[in-house]
Amino acid sequence: MKQSFLTSTTSKFILAILLVFGLSFTTKADIIRLVVKEDRASCTGVAPQTCYQVKYKNSKDWELFYSNIEGFKYKAGYRYVLQVIRTKRANVPADASAYTYKLKKILKKQKMPQHAGVWSFVTKHKWKLIQMNGLTQENSPAYIVFDKVKGRISGNAGCNGFFGAYEKGNEMIRFKQLGSTLMACPDEGRNKLEHDFMQLLSGNTFKYDVADQTLNLYQGERLVLMFGITDQDK
């Protein structure tokens, strides 16, 4: 009887040890080196968004990075070399990365030369609203067009056309003197879209970047407006 009790106790102890070591193994952290590109790229997770472009130790090409890096304050226009603590999740939530990432150290931060043609590229296209304050805008009628010579903008906010001026600095853009036509908007959804869109633009300053086929506007580090490239004549 005593031997049976000892065997049972020993088995439970061994099982507990295995569980502890098993859990430790699944949540083991390692330190990796990441190169983060100076501009982000459009990508699609749960919704359209922008992702870091990174290179790992053995990467030949830039890869999309869908996760966040805790403690990392990214600024467009700079290329970073990072030491990152990567930890494997014990329980992976749906639509989430198998790892969490935390900044250990910035090894290098280098200002990259801006391409003179970036803003020329923006002004050559019509930009359709595809995301606002984190919400995807399905079949949105809202769009914006930039006049590089006059420093003016025009477009549609949902029901009404709008117009105004903009000032552009280094990676920053400010919208001012906005106005619109006064057509009645019986569609409740479009009316709300127009109100929120115009309120967000009017008198505000944004950081911007161009990632592949998207024009992205930020307040602080938060992406508030995303526009997708479309044809001028549509």
Side-chain angles (χ1 to χ4, degrees):
M1 183 74 176
K2 184 176 181 181
Q3 185 178 359
S4 176
F5 172 78
L6 289 175
T7 302
S8 176
T9 302
T10 302
S11 298
K12 290 179 180 179
F13 177 76
I14 293 173
L15 179 60
I17 293 294
L18 289 173
L19 287 173
V20 168
F21 276 95
L23 181 61
S24 299
F25 177 77
T26 58
T27 58
K28 181 180 178 181
D30 57 352
I31 297 174
I32 63 171
R33 181 178 179 275
L34 273 183
V35 180
V36 181
K37 198 178 181 185
E38 59 276 10
D39 55 5
R40 288 182 263 208
S42 57
C43 56
T44 301
V46 177
Q49 61 189 69
T50 58
C51 292
Y52 297 135
Q53 300 182 80
V54 303
K55 284 186 178 180
Y56 299 88
K57 182 178 179 181
N58 298 317
S59 297
K60 294 182 179 179
D61 300 310
W62 294 105
E63 302 178 32
L64 293 175
F65 185 84
Y66 288 86
S67 299
N68 293 318
I69 302 173
E70 182 184 346
F72 176 45
K73 301 298 184 182
Y74 172 83
K75 185 175 181 180
Y78 289 84
R79 184 170 297 185
Y80 298 84
V81 181
L82 308 177
Q83 270 190 348
V84 175
I85 301 170
R86 181 176 66 181
T87 305
K88 187 172 179 61
R89 296 178 190 265
N91 297 297
V92 183
D95 300 319
S97 169
Y99 297 93
T100 61
Y101 299 85
K102 184 176 181 180
L103 178 67
K104 179 177 175 63
K105 187 177 181 180
I106 297 178
L107 301 176
K108 187 176 181 181
K109 178 182 177 181
Q110 180 182 2
K111 177 70 174 176
M112 302 300 288
Q114 285 192 323
H115 300 292
V118 169
W119 194 248
S120 294
F121 173 76
V122 171
T123 58
K124 287 178 182 177
H125 296 281
K126 173 180 173 181
W127 298 91
K128 180 180 179 180
L129 180 67
I130 58 177
Q131 184 175 310
M132 181 167 61
N133 283 328
L135 298 176
T136 301
Q137 302 298 312
E138 297 286 351
N139 302 314
S140 168
Y143 69 88
I144 189 168
V145 175
F146 296 85
D147 187 321
K148 181 180 179 181
V149 176
K150 296 180 180 179
R152 305 285 297 174
I153 57 170
S154 60
N156 188 288
C159 283
N160 286 280
F162 73 93
F163 46 85
Y166 73 89
E167 293 177 348
K168 189 183 73 68
N170 185 28
E171 302 174 1
M172 305 294 291
I173 187 166
R174 175 178 172 79
F175 300 99
K176 59 182 186 177
Q177 301 168 1
L178 296 190
S180 69
T181 58
L182 300 175
M183 184 176 68
C185 195
D187 186 298
E188 185 177 343
R190 289 195 175 195
N191 191 51
K192 185 179 187 310
L193 169 67
E194 183 168 287
H195 174 269
D196 294 347
F197 181 64
M198 292 298 292
Q199 189 174 54
L200 192 55
L201 281 187
S202 298
N204 286 323
T205 301
F206 304 87
K207 290 194 301 183
Y208 76 89
D209 64 30
V210 178
D212 193 15
Q213 299 293 300
T214 63
L215 170 64
N216 310 296
L217 304 184
Y218 305 85
Q219 289 184 326
E221 296 301 315
R222 186 169 68 94
L223 176 64
V224 293
L225 290 166
M226 179 189 290
F227 298 89
I229 194 170
T230 186
D231 294 334
Q232 282 276 19
D233 58 351
K234 290 186 179 180

